[in-house]
Amino acid sequence: MSDAEMPDDAHPHPDADHEHGVSGPGYTTPAAMRTESGREKTAFVMGLRVGMDVDGPDFVGVVDVDPDSETYGELVDTVEMPNKGDELHHFGWNACSSSCHAEGLMRDHLIVPGQRSSRIHILDASDPRDLSIETVIEPEEVFEHDLSAPHTVHCVPDGKVIISMLGNAEGELPGGFLQLDQEDFSIDGHWEADRGEMEMNYDYWYQPRHDVMISSEWAAPKTYYPGFDLDDVEAGKYGDSIHIWNWESREHEQTLTFGEEGLIPLEVRMSHNPEETQGYVGAALSSNIIRFYEEDGTWDWDVVIDIESREHPDWDMPVPPLITDILLSLDDQYLFFSNWLHGDVRMYDVSDSANPRLVDRIWAGGNFGDRQSVAGHDIRGAPQMLQLSRDGRRLYWTTSLFSSWDNQFYPDIGEEGSLMLKADVSPEAGRMELDEEFVVDFGDAPGGAARAHEIRWPGGDCTSDVWQ
């Protein structure tokens, strides 16, 4: 059965026409995912209760995004974690398109880490409307490898899962990468053989065809856990660099240091086309988009988008946009990113990758957005975590960043929860339009209000799948 024929876009069964002759999970090309996968019907969305008025555990929520369904736009199920205080943040799959050559693998488990607890939950997602917790890796098992604060989860070839870890067992630097086995989810140990000068960690992307991995920087967990302090930036406690790794040898090869031109570089997105050796990183505090690229065996970078800070009567300094999430459409034509403090989500044409062109933006919430409510729901926060439909025609986002940062900049999220919103996208025209009818208010979540964070599709998406 092809992915397009599968009910509810559940975990992808092996595609029928793998050029290498071996059937595995995912899609052979980005174009195949974009054109053959079918419309998303279910969304998995993180729901966090850390720092909320509600005293309860975090959960993974199941949101109905099928417009033909009677429960369209509703949170139809939640799977609560067995402990409180995890701060679920980012999550990923046990298998994806980079392992399409690996016969017998299925995309049927979600790897769900707790940022604050360092606990790693393994969820059975074989039925996307009936998630269940299969096993839990307790933090003590993680600390044995002198790592903590798991962040980005990527399935990788050769039957492994790699998780970026932002701190050591004490919540200080350096961070590193934790490797799990895909079959039993046991911990193999560190992925990196030599981390070189890398100390701070955050997000990463890899491209096995070109034997490269790119990682970014946030800060030590003990620095960002309490909230944001500008003095920490001035003291050099936040990142300003990305790191180039040799994928095969697992060794650190090069550091690209941006300085003040690229403060707090967070999300990394390389081109989906596996022949390309370039990508983008969003520098949150300096609020720009940096393009990195390889030429003649050496990596370099340029600032390609700069967003100005704005004066606000309630702030004693200009308000930075704070670019907190970015993504590339599967055809690598459009770059989307969110300005969490300003309140807009932007769409750029990056067909000419070195010269992005702004084509549209939507204001929704934030410190400057004219639109502060949707369908009778106040927008608490602003566009933050993004997810694009595989065909590039629907952009979804949530409005929470991190518990302590939410409570600092948008305290109403901590009291009433955050939202999930949607825009309809026209790739042909390069336009977006807010869907005034779609809103999932996590303030109404079963068991009490929650912070909505990262979004994943059953069957994979443009922020988790990599191609060889």
Side-chain angles (χ1 to χ4, degrees):
M1 181 182 291
S2 72
D3 289 296
E5 295 170 314
M6 291 181 61
D8 198 27
D9 242 1
H11 57 288
H13 287 273
D15 296 327
D17 299 317
H18 282 52
E19 293 179 2
H20 40 61
V22 178
S23 295
Y27 301 83
T28 54
T29 64
M33 175 180 272
R34 181 169 55 89
T35 60
E36 299 172 10
S37 61
R39 178 172 176 145
E40 69 284 356
K41 297 182 180 180
T42 300
F44 301 136
V45 186
M46 292 289 201
L48 290 70
R49 293 202 170 101
V50 172
M52 301 288 296
D53 288 350
V54 175
D55 180 27
D58 299 349
F59 62 84
V60 177
V62 180
V63 175
D64 188 336
V65 291
D66 180 1
D68 295 326
S69 169
E70 293 183 357
T71 54
Y72 175 60
E74 296 182 15
L75 188 60
V76 295
D77 193 19
T78 60
V79 179
E80 289 194 338
M81 299 302 103
N83 299 276
K84 298 176 183 178
D86 285 312
E87 184 117 7
L88 305 182
H89 195 59
H90 288 205
F91 61 140
W93 291 102
N94 66 308
C96 58
S97 294
S98 68
S99 296
C100 67
H101 67 289
E103 194 164 15
L105 278 179
M106 299 288 287
R107 191 200 311 257
D108 56 5
H109 285 81
L110 285 167
I111 317 300
V112 183
Q115 238 291 306
R116 286 185 185 268
S117 68
S118 297
R119 188 174 287 111
I120 301 171
H121 311 83
I122 312 300
L123 271 61
D124 184 339
S126 53
D127 181 348
R129 296 294 183 106
D130 188 22
L131 301 178
S132 61
I133 298 175
E134 183 169 305
T135 189
V136 177
I137 301 172
E138 295 297 339
E140 291 75 17
E141 300 176 65
V142 176
F143 298 156
E144 287 180 6
H145 302 275
D146 198 21
L147 292 170
S148 69
H151 190 267
T152 300
V153 178
H154 275 304
C155 46
V156 304
D158 305 320
K160 303 299 179 182
V161 173
I162 299 173
I163 307 174
S164 62
M165 309 294 289
L166 276 55
N168 62 19
E170 304 301 321
E172 302 286 1
L173 299 177
F177 297 89
L178 190 71
Q179 181 171 290
L180 307 182
D181 186 85
Q182 278 177 340
E183 289 191 7
D184 61 5
F185 304 107
S186 59
I187 296 177
D188 292 336
H190 282 248
W191 169 83
E192 71 277 13
D194 179 3
R195 64 175 178 82
E197 61 189 52
M198 188 281 283
E199 290 198 339
M200 296 183 191
N201 204 2
Y202 183 69
D203 192 29
Y204 78 96
W205 200 274
Y206 68 98
Q207 181 42 270
R209 181 179 296 194
H210 299 288
D211 202 21
V212 68
M213 184 178 87
I214 313 289
S215 66
S216 62
E217 299 185 333
W218 192 4
K222 284 189 175 179
T223 297
Y224 64 79
Y225 278 173
F228 179 71
D229 187 337
L230 192 58
D231 289 341
D232 288 335
V233 178
E234 296 172 354
K237 294 184 178 181
Y238 279 93
D240 66 353
S241 305
I242 60 173
H243 300 275
I244 316 298
W245 302 78
N246 183 290
W247 179 250
E248 184 173 355
S249 71
R250 307 182 180 189
E251 294 176 320
H252 183 279
E253 290 192 330
Q254 188 181 351
T255 298
L256 301 183
T257 300
F258 309 137
E260 292 188 359
E261 291 188 87
L263 292 173
I264 314 185
L266 296 181
E267 307 298 336
V268 177
R269 304 287 182 248
M270 295 188 77
S271 296
H272 298 291
N273 180 353
E275 296 182 0
E276 295 288 339
T277 52
Q278 70 99 39
Y280 303 93
V281 60
L285 188 57
S286 53
S287 297
N288 47 28
I289 300 294
I290 293 170
R291 175 178 176 260
F292 54 87
Y293 53 91
E294 184 268 338
E295 287 184 354
D296 301 322
T298 301
W299 290 81
D300 208 342
W301 61 279
D302 296 302
V303 175
V304 291
I305 301 171
D306 242 326
I307 312 297
E308 295 294 326
S309 298
R310 295 179 60 173
E311 299 289 341
H312 191 283
D314 296 333
W315 284 60
D316 57 7
M317 59 175 280
V319 183
L322 209 70
I323 297 174
T324 52
D325 195 21
I326 69 173
L327 63 77
L328 277 170
S329 58
L330 282 169
D331 58 5
D332 294 327
Q333 182 178 359
Y334 291 109
L335 173 74
F336 298 83
F337 65 82
S338 53
N339 291 318
W340 188 62
L341 287 181
H342 280 191
D344 60 317
V345 57
R346 295 191 175 206
M347 177 180 183
Y348 281 75
D349 186 331
V350 290
S351 300
D352 180 353
S353 61
N355 296 285
R357 180 173 60 88
L358 177 64
V359 293
D360 209 354
R361 66 179 175 178
I362 289 174
W363 289 94
N367 287 286
F368 298 96
D370 292 335
R371 183 186 289 107
Q372 293 291 332
S373 66
V374 175
H377 296 258
D378 291 337
I379 302 175
R380 301 178 291 276
Q384 207 286 100
M385 289 307 298
L386 308 175
Q387 191 55 266
L388 186 67
S389 64
R390 291 179 287 253
D391 61 8
R393 296 188 176 279
R394 290 163 299 282
L395 181 71
Y396 300 78
W397 64 84
T398 56
T399 62
S400 165
L401 175 61
F402 194 74
S403 60
S404 51
W405 294 44
D406 288 352
N407 293 349
Q408 185 174 356
F409 295 106
Y410 295 113
D412 53 345
I413 294 179
E415 299 167 0
E416 303 176 59
S418 67
L419 309 178
M420 177 180 176
L421 301 173
K422 166 182 170 285
D424 293 310
V425 180
S426 171
E428 297 83 3
R431 292 289 180 267
M432 299 186 293
E433 183 177 357
L434 183 71
D435 185 340
E436 299 277 3
E437 303 300 320
F438 183 92
V439 57
V440 185
D441 194 331
F442 276 65
D444 300 328
R451 310 173 192 274
H453 198 65
E454 192 173 42
I455 304 167
R456 290 258 170 262
W457 308 132
D461 48 63
C462 65
T463 59
S464 64
D465 276 56
V466 176
W467 282 265
Q468 294 198 71

